[in-house]
């Protein structure tokens, strides 16, 4: 963890020096210190926190919706042969469509307000959760399924005692991917549907006013949040699957 | 209370790669209520397959397997099975693994907890109730599996080499515990083993199976009162006779090989 911070710090230093020593045009690449000062000012004057919260709330709403739907749908594909036959081909076809290609369709159906953004983020989270849940359920040990038959488990018991725990590591991987995908999608929607507060909006605004420090600030925040989300998800995953050879 | 297990003309064929592999052929067997039957036979002669059919895990076979005339159509809590592998759930502790078998039993929560504790104690794992399977040795895992098979007190208990992975002392202890429970509750028991001594010590009857296709080759009645002494002369004699039979059978099935030229090294008897 501490060693992982070395490279970013060196880059930060190089960035600062490059701009201070005139290696890069400060209008294109403002010094790091200026970006941080901009952040300080934005925190007090431009409701930086409010923007960040707006992005995170949106992200969380879409992520939760997509993950929940993905868990159900992935379970259906993984466990029901009929479900897989009926819905599997369509899903696997549709998932090939690049996520941003959905934007025109979504804005026609849902407008460009908050709902449309959340739906878009949900789709981004949905796909990796479905794929990993399905695969995890399919991978359940046949030997344990047989133990379940001997113990006359009913449908609910099979799901909660065998399939869900078997699939848990895969599901957690899917959720971690969904967390990253939905954060990217959050920024994406804020770029393409620029209504309402959010970090993406901040960046667009900075670009339009040609204020590179605001753009850089936004990007920096995106990176830090993405990093934090990933770290939290990874930690949670390890805690939840501790029973696997410690 | 317990039912008579009646196996009639059972044939089971697997297909491997489109090729038909007969696993059981013409198995006839009647097991009386409360009887302790032990099964011996070379590897691959269909012992596990037979237990799976009795457990109701596989219903695609010829012939019939019935309890008091009722054909077995699927698994039931009245028939418990301890598999050849422990098959513990890796995400549950030892105690929770045992408790799994009581999930659908009509018992109060407190009674279930007590039964789980008792059976962990029975297999000598009281202090490992909170251990996860990966923290147990192979023999310990197998003992948890035995506890899981017993805790439900089935009417018919099927055991597939349950003591194979255990040291001699633990094995002797568990044999005695199993025998005690079996006698107390008159559980009809079918136990598969590779250990001839174990087969004669525990069994009211020992059946010896022959391979390709799997069938019952010999039946030995062990008509000795319980509790038995392991060193009893009559047990020792039975054991010698059964060993002889096993050697004969393995000699028979090895005969086609013997027609090939035999070098001086291979001329030694296979079973020393
Ligand atoms: N699911 C299966 N599919 C195909 N063939 C099988 C299957 N299960 C068992 N067999 C075949 O049936 C035969 C008997 O297998 P089984 O597992 O019953 O032997 P066993 O007597 O229990 O042997 P061991 O003492 O090694 O456990 C073997 O030839 C095996 O290849
Ligand atoms: Mg076997």
């Amino acid at each position: 963890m501490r060693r992982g911070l070395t490279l970013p710090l060196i880059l930060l230093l190089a960035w600062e020096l490059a701009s201070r020593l005139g290696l890069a045009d400060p209008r294109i690449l403002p010094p790091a210190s200026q970006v941080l000062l901009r952040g300080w000012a934005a925190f007090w004057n431009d409701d930086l926190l409010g923007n960040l919260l707006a992005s995170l709330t949106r992200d969380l709403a879409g992520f939760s919706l997509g993950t929940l739907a993905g868990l159900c749908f992935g379970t259906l594909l993984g466990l029901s042969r009929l479900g897989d036959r009926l819905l599997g081909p369509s899903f696997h076809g549709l998932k090939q469509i690049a996520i941003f290609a959905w934007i025109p369709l979504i804005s026609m159906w849902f407008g460009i307000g908050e709902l449309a953004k959340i739906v878009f983020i949900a789709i981004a989270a949905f796909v990796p959760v479905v794929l990993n849940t399905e695969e995890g359920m399919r991978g359940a040990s046949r030997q344990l399924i047989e133990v379940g038959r001997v113990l006359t488990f009913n449908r609910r018991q099979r799901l909660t005692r065998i399939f869900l725990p078997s699939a848990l590591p895969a599901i957690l991987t899917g959720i971690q991917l969904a967390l990253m995908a939905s954060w990217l999608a959050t920024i994406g929607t804020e770029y393409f549907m620029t209504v309402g507060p959010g970090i993406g909006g901040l960046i667009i605004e900075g670009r339009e006013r040609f204020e590179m420090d605001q753009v850089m600030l936004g990007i920096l925040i995106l990176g830090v949040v993405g990093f934090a989300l990933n770290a939290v998800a990874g930690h949670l995953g390890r805690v939840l699957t501790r029973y696997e050879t410690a | 209370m317990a039912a008579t297990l009646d196996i009639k003309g059972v044939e089971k064929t697997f297909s491997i790669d489109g090729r038909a592999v007969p696993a059981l052929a013409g198995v006839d067997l009647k097991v009386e209520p409360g009887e302790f039957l032990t099964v011996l036979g070379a590897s691959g002669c269909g012992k596990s397959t037979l237990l799976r059919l009795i457990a109701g895990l596989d219903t695609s076979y010829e012939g019939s397997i019935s309890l008091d005339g009722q054909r077995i159509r699927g698994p039931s809590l009245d028939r418990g099975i301890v598999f050849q592998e422990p098959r513990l759930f890796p995400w549950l502790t030892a105690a929770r693994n045992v408790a799994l078998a009581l999930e659908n039993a009509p018992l109060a929560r407190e009674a279930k907890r007590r039964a789980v504790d008792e059976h962990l104690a029975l297999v000598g794992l009281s202090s490992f109730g909170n251990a996860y399977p990966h923290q147990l040795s192979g023999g310990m895992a197998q003992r948890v599996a035995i506890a899981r098979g017993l805790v439900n007190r089935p009417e018919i208990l099927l055991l597939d080499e349950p003591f194979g992975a255990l040291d001699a002392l633990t094995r002797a202890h568990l044999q005695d515990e199993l025998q005690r429970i079996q006698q107390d509750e008159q559980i009809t028991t079918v136990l598969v083993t590779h250990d001839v001594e174990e087969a004669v010590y525990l069994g009211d009857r020992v059946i010896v199976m022959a391979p390709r296709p799997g069938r019952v080759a010999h039946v030995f009645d062990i008509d000795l009162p319980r509790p038995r002494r392991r060193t009893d002369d009559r047990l020792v004699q039975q054991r010698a006779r059964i060993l002889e039979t096993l050697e004969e059978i393995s000699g028979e099935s090895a005969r086609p090989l013997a027609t090939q030229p035999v070098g001086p090294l291979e001329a030694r008897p296979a079973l020393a």
Side-chain angles (χ1 to χ4, degrees):
Chain A
M1 185 70 204
R2 207 167 297 165
R3 253 175 241 162
L5 286 178
T6 316
L7 187 62
L9 282 179
I10 289 175
L11 284 178
L12 216 62
L13 203 70
W15 169 12
E16 180 74 19
L17 285 176
S19 163
R20 291 264 173 222
L21 297 176
L23 294 176
D25 186 341
R27 279 171 306 172
I28 305 290
L29 187 70
S33 52
Q34 191 188 326
V35 173
L36 293 181
L37 280 177
R38 178 67 194 234
W40 180 253
F43 180 78
W44 295 108
N45 307 327
D46 298 344
D47 197 18
L48 183 63
L49 211 58
N51 278 309
L52 180 59
L53 269 176
S55 289
L56 282 176
T57 315
R58 193 172 287 145
D59 179 30
L60 192 71
F63 165 76
S64 314
L65 204 70
T67 299
L68 215 65
L71 279 175
C72 298
F73 192 68
T75 305
L76 185 73
L77 289 192
L79 296 188
S80 154
R81 197 171 297 171
L82 183 68
D84 185 40
R85 287 239 185 91
L86 283 179
L87 303 168
S90 314
F91 170 75
H92 290 285
L94 285 176
K95 77 160 198 278
Q96 301 299 336
I97 298 172
I99 173 84
F100 286 99
W102 288 97
I103 287 187
L105 194 69
I106 291 176
S107 36
M108 300 228 332
W109 284 350
F110 299 99
I112 55 168
E114 202 55 32
L115 180 65
K117 289 178 182 164
I118 290 175
V119 168
F120 178 72
I121 299 166
I123 293 178
F126 180 74
V127 174
V129 174
V130 172
L131 290 176
N132 282 278
T133 305
E134 179 188 11
E135 190 187 293
M137 298 270 172
R138 288 251 171 84
S141 148
R142 303 184 56 145
Q143 293 200 334
L144 295 189
I145 294 172
E146 219 168 61
V147 172
R149 287 180 61 203
V150 168
L151 300 177
T152 62
F153 281 180
N154 57 33
R155 194 183 280 259
R156 180 184 58 77
Q157 287 169 324
R158 277 202 301 277
L159 186 66
T160 59
R161 300 285 182 265
I162 302 176
F163 288 111
L164 275 179
S166 299
L168 186 64
I171 289 177
L172 289 173
T173 303
I175 289 182
Q176 198 170 353
L177 291 174
L179 212 52
M180 295 323 293
S182 55
W183 182 237
L184 286 181
T186 304
I187 306 312
T189 54
E190 292 176 359
Y191 282 172
F192 289 108
M193 312 179 198
T194 42
V195 187
I199 297 293
L202 213 69
I203 293 175
I204 297 285
E205 192 186 275
R207 191 196 63 186
E208 276 163 4
R209 291 203 232 133
F210 211 71
E211 292 177 0
M212 275 315 278
D213 49 356
Q214 178 160 339
V215 173
M216 291 302 285
L217 176 67
I219 290 174
L220 211 61
I221 292 175
L222 294 189
V224 169
V225 170
F227 179 78
L229 286 177
N230 201 28
V232 168
H235 180 70
L236 214 68
R238 277 190 296 282
V239 169
L240 283 173
T241 54
R242 230 179 335 204
Y243 58 83
E244 288 185 325
T245 39
Chain B
M1 182 188 86
T4 303
L5 174 65
D6 203 358
I7 301 171
K8 275 202 208 112
V10 164
E11 298 194 12
K12 170 75 193 174
T13 307
F14 288 108
S15 102
I16 300 177
D17 248 358
R19 201 163 41 86
V21 177
L24 294 173
V27 176
D28 286 294
L29 208 58
K30 199 172 200 151
V31 191
E32 298 298 334
E35 183 178 352
F36 201 137
L37 182 77
T38 52
V39 181
L40 287 167
S43 181
C45 71
K47 305 180 298 292
S48 298
T49 304
L50 183 63
L51 289 197
R52 290 171 50 81
L53 297 189
I54 300 173
L57 285 170
D58 190 340
T59 47
S60 61
Y61 58 90
E62 303 293 311
S64 76
I65 303 181
S66 52
L67 289 172
D68 274 348
Q70 288 272 5
R71 198 187 162 106
I72 289 173
R73 299 200 181 282
S76 143
L77 281 184
D78 293 337
R79 269 169 284 128
I81 181 166
V82 177
F83 291 99
Q84 201 165 347
E85 320 79 29
R87 301 197 185 190
L88 301 182
F89 288 45
W91 47 84
L92 296 181
T93 62
R96 298 282 318 270
N97 263 289
V98 176
L100 223 47
L102 293 175
E103 198 130 310
N104 290 334
L107 286 177
R109 179 178 301 216
E110 185 54 26
K112 288 184 182 177
R113 205 187 51 75
R114 215 173 324 113
V116 169
D117 287 347
E118 274 169 24
H119 284 80
L120 278 176
L122 187 79
V123 295
L125 290 176
S126 287
S127 52
F128 285 89
N130 289 325
Y132 284 93
H134 77 264
Q135 296 167 321
L136 302 174
S137 74
M140 287 157 90
Q142 191 58 17
R143 281 187 274 159
V144 175
I146 293 168
R148 182 174 66 189
L150 280 175
V151 72
N152 216 0
R153 292 307 154 91
E155 283 177 33
I156 296 184
L157 182 60
L158 310 165
L159 301 137
D160 202 345
E161 295 180 39
F163 307 137
L166 305 181
D167 65 274
L169 223 62
T170 313
R171 178 191 308 212
H173 168 70
L174 284 182
Q175 284 170 348
D176 290 335
E177 288 295 334
L178 174 65
Q179 179 165 237
R180 181 181 60 76
I181 293 171
Q182 191 269 342
Q183 292 290 307
D184 285 356
E185 320 245 338
Q186 285 298 299
I187 299 172
T188 310
T189 305
V190 181
L191 177 135
V192 170
T193 176
H194 282 299
D195 179 351
V196 182
E197 190 177 341
E198 175 170 284
V200 289
Y201 179 61
L202 292 175
D204 295 315
R205 232 174 358 143
V206 178
I207 66 170
V208 176
M209 290 179 67
R212 264 155 286 147
R215 60 198 185 275
V216 179
H218 290 271
V219 181
F220 296 88
D221 284 307
I222 314 292
D223 215 354
L224 296 175
R226 297 170 198 265
R228 298 169 173 172
R229 271 188 319 117
R230 286 170 197 276
T231 49
D232 191 314
D233 279 344
R234 290 166 295 182
L235 278 188
V236 175
Q237 278 164 19
Q238 286 280 23
R239 195 178 125 211
R241 271 179 44 211
I242 292 173
L243 264 174
E244 248 167 59
T245 315
L246 275 170
E247 268 172 57
E248 251 166 55
I249 291 174
S250 72
E252 257 169 50
S253 59
R255 195 167 294 147
L257 293 175
T259 56
Q260 293 165 356
V262 177
L265 273 178
E266 284 115 309
R268 277 184 269 139
L271 281 171

